[in-house]
């Protein structure tokens, strides 16, 4: 029996016709009907938005929603047919479930999990998770959704990210008085290695290496994604 960390609701298969204006995707369902789906992903979706690709949509029964369908998965063929999760709202929810089950032994002991905790020099940033416990050093944990890949190498980011650069700088300030962890949520099961996307954002790559030298912990977490659900596979090999 597969131990799913997250189960998708019933999904509707189709073919991606095009993605446009970031948040919209035209999809032809297997019935032949063409629908406009919400695309909950603000990034360029490099390599995971090719027209003609198989996709999976969820459907909301909320009558007040303008778009009933949401783009959840797309299939790529970089090394083998692989489903990739493209809904960027899901990784934090899945990581929260994983934290509650203590699936990341690298984090050690903690008893409290808080989300969206204010931190940073100007107190205008929010870290995804703050973990603490009795006689343990607090952990500031940031989650980054990762879908871009070159064969079996997952890469982040797939575009310049000033926001991501800021997060690294603010985590660096916390060191070494506390623990800072960057968790890369590799939203596809075909990647076994992880590296910074230097070709798209060399500044981010430089900052990540500087942060690691100061003590930043990096967890490149592999997840198997399918229309049935998401399960944790362990860590990818970090290539810095």
């Amino acid at each position: 029996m597969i131990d799913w960390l997250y189960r998708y609701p019933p999904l509707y298969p189709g073919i991606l016709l095009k993605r446009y204006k970031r948040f919209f995707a035209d999809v032809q369902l297997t019935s032949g009907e063409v629908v406009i789906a919400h695309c909950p992903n603000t990034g360029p979706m490099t390599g995971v938005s090719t027209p003609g690709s198989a996709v999976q949509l969820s459907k909301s029964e909320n009558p007040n929603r303008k778009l009933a369908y949401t783009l959840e998965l797309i299939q790529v063929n970089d090394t083998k047919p692989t489903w990739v999760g493209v809904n960027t709202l899901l990784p934090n929810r899945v990581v929260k479930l994983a934290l509650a089950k203590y699936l990341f032994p690298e984090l050690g002991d903690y008893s409290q999990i808080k989300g969206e905790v204010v931190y940073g020099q100007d107190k205008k940033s929010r870290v995804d998770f703050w973990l603490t416990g009795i006689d343990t050093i607090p952990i500031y944990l940031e989650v980054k959704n990762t879908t871009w890949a070159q064969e079996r190498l997952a890469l982040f980011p797939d575009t310049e990210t000033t926001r991501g650069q800021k997060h690294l700088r603010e985590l660096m300030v916390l060191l070494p008085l506390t623990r800072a962890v960057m968790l890369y949520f590799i939203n596809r099961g075909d990647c076994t290695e992880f590296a910074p996307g230097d070709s798209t954002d060399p500044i981010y790559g430089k900052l990540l290496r500087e942060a690691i030298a100061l003590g930043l912990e990096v967890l490149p977490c592999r997840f198997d994604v399918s229309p049935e659900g998401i399960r944790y596979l362990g860590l990818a090999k970090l290539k810095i």
Side-chain angles (χ1 to χ4, degrees):
M1 181 178 179
I2 297 177
D3 184 18
W4 297 109
L5 186 54
Y6 173 85
R7 294 297 300 265
Y8 280 102
L11 298 179
Y12 297 79
I15 299 296
L16 178 66
L17 300 180
K18 64 176 180 178
R19 181 215 183 194
Y20 54 102
K21 296 181 180 178
R22 286 193 177 184
F23 301 109
F24 300 95
D26 287 349
V27 174
Q28 184 174 33
L29 301 177
T30 52
S31 65
E33 178 186 5
V34 175
V35 300
I36 301 174
H38 172 55
C39 181
N41 194 313
T42 61
M45 293 176 61
T46 303
V48 294
S49 58
T50 304
S53 300
V55 295
Q56 297 278 342
L57 309 179
S58 61
K59 186 178 182 181
S60 172
E61 300 302 327
N62 183 351
N64 296 321
R65 273 191 50 154
K66 292 184 178 180
L67 299 175
Y69 291 96
T70 297
L71 182 62
E72 300 284 353
L73 303 170
I74 188 167
Q75 193 173 62
V76 300
N77 289 276
D78 296 329
T79 56
K80 61 181 180 179
T82 301
W83 287 107
V84 180
V86 294
N87 184 342
T88 57
L89 301 179
L90 266 186
N92 278 35
R93 289 171 57 186
V94 175
V95 169
K96 185 176 181 179
L97 294 171
L99 290 172
K101 292 185 175 184
Y102 299 94
L103 291 188
F104 310 123
E106 298 80 7
L107 296 176
D109 295 327
Y110 54 88
S111 56
Q112 293 185 52
I113 306 169
K114 294 183 179 180
E116 297 294 317
V117 172
V118 175
Y119 83 116
Q121 293 177 300
D122 56 7
K123 300 298 181 182
K124 292 183 179 180
S125 293
R126 293 179 182 271
V127 72
D128 290 319
F129 296 100
W130 184 78
L131 312 175
T132 190
I134 300 175
D135 297 326
T136 60
I137 301 174
I139 301 172
Y140 289 76
L141 175 66
E142 190 71 29
V143 178
K144 297 297 181 187
N145 184 56
T146 305
T147 57
W148 181 33
Q150 294 176 356
E151 295 188 346
R152 297 193 180 279
L153 177 65
L155 298 156
F156 181 91
D158 64 349
T159 187
E160 182 182 10
T161 171
T162 54
R163 185 169 180 265
Q165 294 169 14
K166 180 183 178 184
H167 286 158
L168 283 174
R169 291 188 178 98
E170 291 185 334
L171 288 174
M172 289 165 70
V173 172
L174 299 173
L175 300 167
L177 298 179
T178 188
R179 292 178 66 189
V181 178
M182 187 66 75
L183 189 155
Y184 294 97
F185 189 105
I186 303 174
N187 214 335
R188 51 192 294 167
D190 60 341
C191 293
T192 56
E193 299 178 321
F194 172 84
D198 294 312
S199 62
T200 54
D201 192 341
I203 294 176
Y204 186 92
K206 179 175 180 291
L207 286 171
L208 179 60
R209 292 175 177 89
E210 290 177 357
I212 291 172
L214 290 174
L216 176 75
E217 300 169 51
V218 176
L219 297 181
C221 295
R222 301 175 60 225
F223 291 88
D224 178 56
V225 183
S226 74
E228 290 76 34
I230 300 173
R231 61 191 180 101
Y232 180 51
L233 298 177
L235 297 182
K237 181 180 179 181
L238 180 62
K239 298 186 70 175
I240 293 296

